[in-house]
């Protein structure tokens, strides 16, 4: 039987190169990238089998970028969330942030939590944005949250203390590099990995559809035999 795709995770790489290839500033690539987030979320929301889309928008390592780029990304994120609220509500999309948002400005934290609150009753696709996210940081925070002096900590205890609780089925990275970049390491233990040279601002739902078709044909054994 063909694989079902429940949870897709994407490393949206290549914004900077997309802009530089056009003689523009890197931030122009992020701006275009945000539009692609809308396209891909629409596609996933229309595709009833897909329940969760988790997008890597800002990593715990991205603070090392030039201050102006970081500042632009923060502003873009706030603008994006405000603009997208009607889209979330009209499409029954629940918004969720994963990562340690306490490092963001008060203003941005408020926009993030308000968007979560306002979309919490939506029952269609969950769009998770990984914001100041790193899988190691997520694991450390999860472990520190577990209060179980009586007995051994189990896999279930850890999984349910993570920001992102759902295993990833399909892990996609755009932009040509073949690495995981500290993204959803626990949840991707049995994910199928797809890497494409397409830069994120050029990524389309047609390419995503084609990746999903390939994903369906893979024999997933989860360590067992068929
Ligand atoms: C990686 O491309 C991309 C990022 C670090 C940021 C991702 C952000 C977006 C897609 C736009 C903003 C998103 C939202 C939801 C508002 P890169 O800059 O590393 O590109 P490069 O590898 O070509 O330099």
């Amino acid at each position: 039987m063909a694989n079902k795709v429940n949870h897709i995770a994407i490393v949206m790489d290549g914004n900077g190169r997309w802009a530089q290839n056009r003689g523009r500033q890197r931030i122009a690539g992020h701006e275009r990238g945000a539009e692609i987030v809308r396209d891909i979320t629409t596609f996933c929301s229309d595709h009833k089998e897909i329940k969760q889309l988790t997008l890597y928008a800002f990593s715990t390592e991205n603070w090392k970028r030039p201050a102006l780029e970081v500042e632009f990304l923060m502003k873009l994120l706030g603008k994006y969330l405000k603009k997208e609220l009607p889209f979330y509500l009209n499409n029954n999309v629940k918004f969720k942030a994963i990562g340690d948002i306490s490092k963001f400005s008060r203003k941005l934290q408020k926009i993030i939590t308000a968007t979560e609150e306002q979309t919490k009753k939506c029952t269609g696709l969950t769009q998770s944005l990984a914001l100041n996210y790193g899988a190691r940081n997520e694991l450390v925070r999860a472990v520190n949250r577990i209060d179980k002096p009586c007995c051994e900590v189990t896999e279930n205890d850890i999984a349910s203390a993570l920001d992102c609780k759902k295993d990833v089925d399909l892990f996609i990275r755009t932009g040509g590099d073949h690495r995981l970049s500290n993204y959803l390491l626990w949840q991707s233990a049995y994910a199928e990995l797809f890497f494409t040279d397409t830069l994120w601002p050029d990524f389309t739902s047609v390419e995503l559809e084609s990746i999903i078709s390939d994903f369906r044909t893979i024999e997933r054994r989860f360590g067992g035999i068929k």
Side-chain angles (χ1 to χ4, degrees), residues 137-152:
N137 173 275
E138 179 192 30
L139 257 171
V140 170
R141 286 185 291 104
V143 168
N144 281 311
R145 251 182 233 138
I146 300 171
D147 180 20
K148 212 179 169 192
C150 65
C151 34
E152 277 188 1

Side-chain angles (χ1 to χ4, degrees), residues 42-141:
T42 304
F43 171 85
C44 291
S45 155
D46 291 344
H47 207 300
K48 297 302 170 210
E49 187 184 318
I50 304 167
K51 300 286 183 262
Q52 187 166 333
L53 171 68
T54 306
L55 301 168
Y56 212 173
F58 193 86
S59 77
T60 45
E61 286 72 37
N62 285 154
W63 297 106
K64 294 180 202 151
R65 293 186 175 215
L68 279 177
E69 185 171 340
V70 170
E71 202 182 305
F72 180 85
L73 279 167
M74 298 296 131
K75 281 210 179 110
L76 180 63
L77 190 60
K79 242 172 48 185
Y80 170 86
L81 288 177
K82 280 191 185 160
K83 189 167 112 250
E84 289 306 272
L85 185 61
F87 166 80
Y88 290 135
L89 297 174
N90 292 334
N91 291 279
N92 197 21
V93 173
K94 183 187 290 189
F95 165 77
K96 185 98 187 59
I98 62 167
D100 179 7
I101 65 162
S102 71
K103 300 286 180 294
F104 292 151
S105 70
R106 278 280 155 83
K107 188 173 164 208
L108 184 54
Q109 287 183 51
K110 267 195 182 158
I111 299 173
I112 293 168
T113 50
T115 311
E116 286 181 326
E117 183 60 28
Q118 284 161 309
T119 61
K120 72 176 183 202
K121 295 211 172 96
C122 294
T123 55
L125 178 78
T126 297
Q127 183 214 56
S128 295
L129 289 187
L131 301 172
N132 190 30
Y133 176 89
R136 291 180 175 181
N137 173 275
E138 179 192 30
L139 257 171
V140 170
R141 286 185 291 104

Side-chain angles (χ1 to χ4, degrees), residues 153-161 186:
V153 169
T154 64
E155 276 195 19
N156 267 345
D157 293 328
I158 295 179
S160 48
W186 176 283

Side-chain angles (χ1 to χ4, degrees), residues 12-17 26 30 34 57 62 65 76 80 129 200:
M12 308 182 285
D13 198 14
N15 293 348
R17 278 166 288 163
R26 295 174 51 81
H30 296 314
N62 285 154
R65 293 186 175 215
L76 180 63
Y80 170 86
L129 289 187
W200 176 252

